[in-house]
Amino acid sequence: MHGGIAKPQAALERIDLLVLPSEAEGFGLVLIEAMAARVPVVATEVAGICDVVKNEQTGLLVPVGNPEELAKGIRRVAEDEGMRLRLVEAAYEDVQSRFSWERVIQQYRELLNIENASS
């Protein structure tokens, strides 16, 4: 799939693995969306992606510009069901704890020194 997708959640439900072989990435939002949908991820080891994926914990990170390592990472996730399930569950938990709306709003409030309205 490529280009704009009207319902990204529906697209994520149809894939078995998300691969993001970026040479540069500002922030890995698509990775967060995949991880929240319990889709395993393999991505390149660049700033932005490394802020989202913890190598061997919530996904696999491979060196930039190394198709052999990228293929090896894809094969590992595809062939090792135990590892895939471990990555998926850890990624889901990590996304819920770091990137849920509640957590993001809390971080903005702390950053901007805004008191919680319910306090």
Side-chain angles (χ1 to χ4, degrees):
M1 288 183 231
H2 59 75
I5 298 174
K7 296 182 179 181
Q9 186 63 33
L12 288 170
E13 291 171 0
R14 296 174 41 201
I15 63 174
D16 296 319
L17 173 68
L18 183 103
V19 179
L20 188 63
S22 299
E23 293 182 6
E25 194 73 38
F27 186 66
L29 183 57
V30 68
L31 295 166
I32 293 170
E33 292 169 337
M35 292 160 66
R38 290 188 162 97
V39 174
V41 299
V42 175
T44 46
E45 207 168 10
V46 297
I49 290 175
C50 291
D51 294 329
V52 174
V53 178
K54 298 173 186 171
N55 190 35
E56 301 279 343
Q57 295 174 34
T58 62
L60 293 185
L61 296 175
V62 299
V64 175
N66 190 327
E68 293 83 15
E69 286 298 314
L70 181 63
K72 189 170 149 184
I74 293 168
R75 271 193 306 274
R76 280 185 67 201
V77 173
E79 295 172 358
D80 188 339
E81 183 179 1
M83 181 188 69
R84 184 174 58 252
L85 293 173
R86 180 181 52 81
L87 292 175
V88 163
E89 289 309 311
Y92 179 80
E93 293 298 322
D94 189 55
V95 165
Q96 297 305 308
S97 69
R98 293 195 305 148
F99 301 109
S100 68
W101 278 116
E102 286 181 21
R103 180 67 181 132
V104 171
I105 290 170
Q106 175 188 352
Q107 289 173 332
Y108 272 116
R109 285 185 173 132
E110 291 169 5
L111 179 68
L112 300 172
N113 278 332
I114 297 173
E115 295 275 335
N116 190 340
S118 63
S119 300

